[in-house]
């Protein structure tokens, strides 16, 4: 009887220990952190959300402006840009309903360099060049990550030389601009704005009164955009 009792107590301890370990892993997971940030995110009014002078795509006279903060190296930013942004572009940007503003919120040295690289290209070819290089930076990481330009799994490391090469492949020589950090202050100003808004995670989006944190599926963005368009 005593042996059975001891075995029962041992099993209980094992289950409790396993539960604690599982809880720790869940609380440290990016998905949990994204959800936690969403629950605590302050919803800001449009008056607080500046589009600054950042790159944008879409009709300048569109009825609705969506402002997004991104980290080029962040898996969730890449996931949004790869999977969700093309659908938003097809249904709302290309149809003239939405103007999409891209702002920087880098959280690593590589992400900061990537943001500068896109700004360097923009200097040469305006906003369209920014998005050409943004596409390249995301797709090249995806290819290293999964072997496919349209699939995202893990974080990818890249260098300044990689960024220069990717830009050259798209027809832009950004070597001097990137070496002299011409747009470092511009990128860091965006990051400071994001922090002052209370943002902690990327990607983060402001759609008038709606705030979306993380790489949510297209259906979430569609609901928020349609809701705001209906008010106009």
């Amino acid at each position: 009887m005593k042996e059975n009792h001891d075995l029962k107590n041992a099993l209980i301890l094992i289950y409790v220990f396993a539960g604690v370990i599982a809880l720790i892993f869940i609380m440290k997971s990016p998905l949990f952190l994204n959800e936690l940030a969403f629950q605590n995110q302050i919803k800001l009014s449009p008056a607080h959300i500046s589009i600054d002078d950042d790159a944008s795509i879409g009709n300048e006279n569109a009825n609705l402006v969506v402002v997004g903060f991104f980290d080029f190296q962040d898996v969730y930013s890449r996931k949004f840009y790869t999977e969700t942004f093309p659908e938003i572009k097809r249904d709302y940007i290309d149809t003239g309903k939405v103007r999409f503003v891209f702002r920087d919120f880098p959280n690593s040295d590589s992400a900061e360099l990537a943001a500068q690289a896109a700004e360097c290209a923009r200097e040469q070819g305006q906003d369209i060049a920014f998005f050409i290089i943004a596409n390249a930076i995301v797709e090249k990481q995806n290819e290293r990550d999964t072997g496919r330009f349209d699939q995202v799994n893990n974080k990818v490391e890249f260098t300044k030389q990689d960024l220069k090469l990717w830009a050259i492949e798209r027809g832009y020589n950004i070597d001097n601009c990137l070496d002299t950090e011409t747009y470092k202050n511009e990128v860091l100003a965006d990051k400071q704005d994001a922090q002052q808004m209370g943002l902690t995670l990327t990607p983060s989006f402001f759609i008038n009164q709606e705030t979306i944190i993380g790489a949510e599926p297209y259906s979430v963005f569609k609901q928020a955009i349609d809701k705001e368009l209906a008010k106009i």
Side-chain angles (χ1 to χ4, degrees):
M1 293 290 293
K2 184 177 183 301
E3 290 180 357
N4 289 338
H5 181 72
D6 290 342
L7 178 60
K8 183 178 179 180
N9 286 340
L11 288 173
I12 291 173
L13 288 174
I14 290 172
Y15 286 134
V16 170
F17 181 75
V20 171
I21 295 298
L23 181 61
I24 290 173
F25 275 105
I26 290 172
M27 292 181 68
K28 287 185 175 182
S29 73
L31 288 175
F32 177 85
L33 294 174
N34 268 353
E35 179 62 23
L36 184 64
F38 177 78
Q39 295 294 339
N40 291 286
Q41 184 63 50
I42 299 173
K43 290 197 172 184
L44 305 174
S45 69
H48 292 92
I49 306 164
S50 168
I51 64 174
D52 196 28
D53 60 348
D54 290 286
S56 67
I57 185 170
N59 179 9
E60 291 188 358
N61 298 314
N63 289 327
L64 182 64
V65 176
V66 176
V67 180
F69 284 83
F70 299 88
D71 176 319
F72 274 110
Q73 196 177 27
D74 170 53
V75 172
Y76 292 100
S77 292
R78 280 173 47 217
K79 185 175 178 64
F80 167 83
Y81 201 90
T82 300
E83 300 176 2
T84 305
F85 182 69
E87 294 187 84
I88 294 174
K89 183 176 182 296
R90 178 196 66 206
D91 293 343
Y92 296 102
I93 297 173
D94 291 347
T95 56
K97 299 175 182 177
V98 165
R99 177 186 174 200
F100 194 98
V101 179
F102 191 110
R103 300 199 66 185
D104 299 305
F105 189 9
N107 291 292
S108 70
D109 291 342
S110 294
E112 184 181 315
L113 281 172
Q116 292 182 48
E119 291 292 347
C120 286
R122 184 186 180 205
E123 178 183 72
Q124 299 176 35
Q126 301 184 338
D127 286 3
I128 187 62
F130 178 97
F131 286 99
I132 288 172
I133 297 305
N135 287 341
I137 293 169
V138 170
E139 290 178 359
K140 289 293 186 178
Q141 288 182 85
N142 292 350
E143 289 172 359
R144 286 187 178 181
D145 178 16
T146 65
R148 294 179 51 174
F149 74 91
D150 59 351
Q151 187 171 321
V152 180
N153 282 336
N154 301 302
K155 181 179 178 180
V156 173
E157 298 297 332
F158 54 86
T159 66
K160 181 190 288 188
Q161 191 59 40
D162 287 329
L163 294 167
K164 292 177 180 179
L165 177 61
W166 298 342
I168 284 290
E169 290 175 350
R170 297 304 191 277
Y172 298 96
N173 187 331
I174 62 171
D175 290 12
N176 183 64
C177 178
L178 203 55
D179 287 339
T180 57
E181 299 185 328
T182 303
Y183 289 98
K184 181 173 184 176
N185 290 339
E186 165 71 22
V187 170
L188 293 181
D190 271 9
K191 181 175 182 177
Q192 184 177 33
D193 281 353
Q195 291 170 331
Q196 289 176 345
M197 291 177 193
L199 298 179
T200 58
L201 296 175
T202 52
S204 294
F205 306 88
F206 296 101
I207 307 171
N208 278 359
Q209 300 293 338
E210 296 294 312
T211 305
I212 298 176
I213 306 296
E216 295 290 346
Y218 171 69
S219 59
V220 173
F221 286 90
K222 176 175 172 55
Q223 182 179 15
I225 292 172
D226 286 346
K227 178 181 176 180
E228 294 305 314
L229 286 172
K231 296 177 182 178
I232 300 171

